[in-house]
Amino acid sequence: ILGNIGNLQKETGDLDAAFDTYQEVLRLESYRLGYSHPEVAISLHNVATIEAARGKYDSALLIYQKVSSLQKMLFGNEHGSLAVTLGCMGDVHERLGDLKSAIDCYEKALKVKSNLVGRHHLEAGRMLHKLGKMTCAHEEFNLAESYTSRAVLIYRLNRLPEDHEWLVDAYRDKADIEAAIALGDGKTFEC
Protein backbone atom coordinates (compact mmCIF):
# COMPACT_ATOMS: atom_id res chain seq x y z
CA ILE A 1 0.00 0.00 0.00
CA LEU A 2 2.84 2.36 0.84
CA GLY A 3 4.29 1.93 -2.67
CA ASN A 4 0.92 2.87 -4.16
CA ILE A 5 0.90 6.02 -2.05
CA GLY A 6 4.33 6.87 -3.46
CA ASN A 7 2.99 6.30 -6.98
CA LEU A 8 0.09 8.68 -6.33
CA GLN A 9 2.43 11.30 -4.89
CA LYS A 10 4.62 11.01 -7.97
CA GLU A 11 1.65 11.28 -10.33
CA THR A 12 0.37 14.40 -8.54
CA GLY A 13 3.81 16.01 -8.77
CA ASP A 14 4.72 15.83 -5.08
CA LEU A 15 8.16 14.44 -5.82
CA ASP A 16 9.67 15.14 -2.41
CA ALA A 17 6.88 13.24 -0.66
CA ALA A 18 7.15 10.42 -3.22
CA PHE A 19 10.90 10.23 -2.61
CA ASP A 20 10.38 9.94 1.14
CA THR A 21 7.68 7.31 0.69
CA TYR A 22 9.76 5.24 -1.73
CA GLN A 23 12.73 5.47 0.65
CA GLU A 24 10.55 4.12 3.46
CA VAL A 25 9.31 1.29 1.23
CA LEU A 26 12.92 0.50 0.33
CA ARG A 27 13.95 0.47 3.99
CA LEU A 28 11.09 -1.84 4.97
CA GLU A 29 11.55 -4.22 2.04
CA SER A 30 15.32 -4.43 2.48
CA TYR A 31 14.83 -5.29 6.15
CA ARG A 32 12.01 -7.79 5.56
CA LEU A 33 13.10 -9.39 2.28
CA GLY A 34 16.83 -8.78 2.14
CA TYR A 35 18.64 -6.56 -0.33
CA SER A 36 18.78 -9.20 -3.07
CA HIS A 37 15.05 -9.37 -3.74
CA PRO A 38 13.08 -8.33 -6.86
CA GLU A 39 10.82 -6.02 -4.84
CA VAL A 40 13.89 -4.18 -3.57
CA ALA A 41 15.04 -3.69 -7.19
CA ILE A 42 11.64 -2.18 -8.03
CA SER A 43 11.79 0.16 -5.04
CA LEU A 44 15.33 1.23 -5.87
CA HIS A 45 14.21 1.92 -9.44
CA ASN A 46 11.36 4.08 -8.12
CA VAL A 47 13.80 6.09 -5.99
CA ALA A 48 16.08 6.60 -9.01
CA THR A 49 13.14 7.72 -11.15
CA ILE A 50 12.18 10.34 -8.58
CA GLU A 51 15.76 11.57 -8.35
CA ALA A 52 15.85 11.97 -12.13
CA ALA A 53 12.50 13.78 -12.10
CA ARG A 54 13.85 16.14 -9.42
CA GLY A 55 16.86 16.90 -11.62
CA LYS A 56 19.32 15.06 -9.36
CA TYR A 57 20.85 13.21 -12.28
CA ASP A 58 24.12 12.13 -10.66
CA SER A 59 22.24 10.55 -7.78
CA ALA A 60 19.73 8.94 -10.15
CA LEU A 61 22.52 7.46 -12.25
CA LEU A 62 24.25 5.92 -9.23
CA ILE A 63 20.98 4.36 -8.08
CA TYR A 64 20.15 3.09 -11.58
CA GLN A 65 23.59 1.46 -11.70
CA LYS A 66 22.79 -0.35 -8.43
CA VAL A 67 19.42 -1.39 -9.84
CA SER A 68 21.08 -2.68 -13.02
CA SER A 69 23.58 -4.75 -11.03
CA LEU A 70 20.83 -6.16 -8.85
CA GLN A 71 18.64 -7.01 -11.87
CA LYS A 72 21.53 -8.77 -13.61
CA MET A 73 22.18 -10.80 -10.47
CA LEU A 74 18.49 -11.67 -10.02
CA PHE A 75 17.33 -12.15 -13.61
CA GLY A 76 20.39 -12.36 -15.87
CA ASN A 77 21.35 -10.08 -18.75
CA GLU A 78 18.24 -10.60 -20.91
CA HIS A 79 15.31 -9.44 -18.74
CA GLY A 80 12.75 -6.77 -19.62
CA SER A 81 13.28 -4.86 -16.39
CA LEU A 82 16.98 -4.53 -17.23
CA ALA A 83 16.09 -3.05 -20.64
CA VAL A 84 13.90 -0.45 -18.89
CA THR A 85 16.66 0.44 -16.43
CA LEU A 86 19.25 0.72 -19.21
CA GLY A 87 16.88 3.04 -21.10
CA CYS A 88 16.43 5.18 -17.99
CA MET A 89 20.20 5.34 -17.57
CA GLY A 90 20.44 6.47 -21.18
CA ASP A 91 17.91 9.22 -20.47
CA VAL A 92 19.95 10.44 -17.49
CA HIS A 93 23.22 10.38 -19.45
CA GLU A 94 21.47 12.34 -22.20
CA ARG A 95 20.26 14.96 -19.71
CA LEU A 96 23.80 15.21 -18.32
CA GLY A 97 25.06 15.87 -21.88
CA ASP A 98 27.03 12.62 -22.07
CA LEU A 99 25.74 11.45 -25.46
CA LYS A 100 28.36 8.73 -25.83
CA SER A 101 27.26 7.03 -22.59
CA ALA A 102 23.60 7.60 -23.45
CA ILE A 103 24.06 5.91 -26.83
CA ASP A 104 25.86 3.01 -25.17
CA CYS A 105 23.00 2.50 -22.70
CA TYR A 106 20.35 2.75 -25.42
CA GLU A 107 22.22 0.23 -27.60
CA LYS A 108 22.37 -2.22 -24.69
CA ALA A 109 18.67 -1.66 -23.94
CA LEU A 110 17.86 -2.20 -27.64
CA LYS A 111 19.72 -5.50 -27.68
CA VAL A 112 17.86 -6.80 -24.61
CA LYS A 113 14.49 -5.48 -25.82
CA SER A 114 14.95 -6.90 -29.34
CA ASN A 115 15.80 -10.31 -27.92
CA LEU A 116 12.60 -10.22 -25.88
CA VAL A 117 10.01 -8.75 -28.24
CA GLY A 118 11.64 -9.32 -31.61
CA ARG A 119 13.73 -7.18 -33.93
CA HIS A 120 10.67 -5.84 -35.76
CA HIS A 121 8.58 -4.82 -32.77
CA LEU A 122 7.49 -1.16 -32.54
CA GLU A 123 9.42 -0.77 -29.28
CA ALA A 124 12.60 -1.72 -31.12
CA GLY A 125 11.71 0.81 -33.82
CA ARG A 126 11.21 3.57 -31.28
CA MET A 127 14.55 2.82 -29.66
CA LEU A 128 16.31 2.73 -33.05
CA HIS A 129 14.73 6.07 -33.94
CA LYS A 130 15.96 7.59 -30.67
CA LEU A 131 19.44 6.20 -31.36
CA GLY A 132 19.28 7.75 -34.83
CA LYS A 133 18.51 11.16 -33.35
CA MET A 134 21.28 10.85 -30.77
CA THR A 135 23.97 9.64 -33.15
CA CYS A 136 23.01 12.46 -35.52
CA ALA A 137 23.43 14.97 -32.69
CA HIS A 138 26.79 13.32 -32.01
CA GLU A 139 27.63 13.89 -35.71
CA GLU A 140 27.87 10.18 -36.47
CA PHE A 141 25.74 10.58 -39.58
CA ASN A 142 26.31 7.21 -41.23
CA LEU A 143 25.37 5.39 -38.03
CA ALA A 144 22.41 7.74 -37.57
CA GLU A 145 21.25 6.94 -41.10
CA SER A 146 21.46 3.22 -40.38
CA TYR A 147 19.45 3.49 -37.17
CA THR A 148 16.83 5.76 -38.69
CA SER A 149 16.43 3.62 -41.81
CA ARG A 150 15.90 0.55 -39.65
CA ALA A 151 13.30 2.45 -37.59
CA VAL A 152 11.43 3.44 -40.76
CA LEU A 153 11.50 -0.17 -41.95
CA ILE A 154 10.08 -1.40 -38.63
CA TYR A 155 7.36 1.26 -38.64
CA ARG A 156 6.38 0.23 -42.17
CA LEU A 157 6.50 -3.49 -41.36
CA ASN A 158 4.10 -2.76 -38.50
CA ARG A 159 1.84 -0.99 -40.98
CA LEU A 160 1.87 2.42 -39.36
CA PRO A 161 -0.12 4.79 -41.55
CA GLU A 162 2.03 7.10 -43.67
CA ASP A 163 0.71 10.08 -41.69
CA HIS A 164 1.51 8.54 -38.29
CA GLU A 165 3.64 11.00 -36.30
CA TRP A 166 6.40 8.44 -35.62
CA LEU A 167 6.76 7.65 -39.30
CA VAL A 168 6.55 11.31 -40.38
CA ASP A 169 9.20 12.23 -37.79
CA ALA A 170 11.45 9.35 -38.89
CA TYR A 171 11.16 10.32 -42.57
CA ARG A 172 12.04 13.93 -41.71
CA ASP A 173 15.02 12.82 -39.60
CA LYS A 174 16.18 10.46 -42.35
CA ALA A 175 16.08 13.31 -44.89
CA ASP A 176 18.03 15.59 -42.51
CA ILE A 177 20.65 12.92 -41.96
CA GLU A 178 20.98 12.23 -45.68
CA ALA A 179 21.42 15.97 -46.25
CA ALA A 180 24.16 16.08 -43.59
CA ILE A 181 25.95 13.20 -45.29
CA ALA A 182 25.62 14.91 -48.68
CA LEU A 183 27.10 18.13 -47.28
CA GLY A 184 30.27 16.30 -46.32
CA ASP A 185 31.64 16.89 -42.86
CA GLY A 186 28.23 17.95 -41.48
CA LYS A 187 29.87 20.17 -38.86
CA THR A 188 27.46 23.03 -39.51
CA PHE A 189 24.41 20.84 -39.99
CA GLU A 190 21.88 20.52 -37.20
CA CYS A 191 19.73 17.38 -36.99
Side-chain angles (χ1 to χ4, degrees):
I1 293 177
L2 198 53
N4 291 337
I5 292 170
N7 292 341
L8 286 172
Q9 291 166 325
K10 179 176 81 172
E11 287 178 23
T12 60
D14 193 350
L15 299 178
D16 292 332
F19 179 81
D20 292 340
T21 302
Y22 287 145
Q23 286 282 53
E24 181 64 13
V25 170
L26 180 60
R27 186 187 67 75
L28 292 169
E29 287 177 346
S30 295
Y31 176 76
R32 199 173 115 252
L33 304 170
Y35 187 77
S36 298
H37 192 278
E39 291 297 322
V40 172
I42 292 168
S43 294
L44 265 175
H45 193 279
N46 289 339
V47 170
T49 300
I50 294 299
E51 287 291 80
R54 296 193 310 177
K56 297 182 178 185
Y57 301 124
D58 291 325
S59 174
L61 192 55
L62 288 173
I63 299 167
Y64 280 134
Q65 288 167 342
K66 289 179 186 177
V67 173
S68 171
S69 295
L70 184 55
Q71 289 168 330
K72 288 176 185 176
M73 183 188 76
L74 291 168
F75 310 122
N77 292 328
E78 297 293 323
H79 194 270
S81 62
L82 179 61
V84 171
T85 300
L86 289 168
C88 291
M89 289 171 67
D91 291 341
V92 172
H93 280 299
E94 186 177 0
R95 288 188 177 115
L96 287 169
D98 185 357
L99 293 182
K100 187 173 181 342
S101 294
I103 291 167
D104 183 55
C105 286
Y106 289 135
E107 286 176 336
K108 289 175 183 174
L110 174 64
K111 181 178 181 228
V112 173
K113 185 61 83 173
S114 294
N115 287 340
L116 292 172
V117 299
R119 292 182 9 202
H120 298 118
H121 193 278
L122 280 173
E123 287 183 43
R126 292 294 288 161
M127 199 163 285
L128 283 164
H129 191 184
K130 183 167 187 104
L131 278 163
K133 287 176 177 283
M134 293 197 66
T135 50
C136 182
H138 207 249
E139 297 181 354
E140 296 179 28
F141 300 116
N142 290 322
L143 187 56
E145 198 275 330
S146 173
Y147 284 135
T148 306
S149 292
R150 288 167 51 203
V152 167
L153 175 65
I154 290 169
Y155 293 161
R156 297 194 71 209
L157 286 172
N158 281 277
R159 297 184 181 359
L160 288 183
E162 289 295 318
D163 62 346
H164 190 282
E165 71 176 294
W166 295 356
L167 194 52
V168 170
D169 191 35
Y171 280 138
R172 183 177 48 248
D173 291 342
K174 190 173 182 313
D176 288 347
I177 293 164
E178 289 169 354
I181 292 170
L183 289 174
D185 66 10
K187 297 277 186 225
T188 61
F189 193 86
E190 184 176 316
C191 294

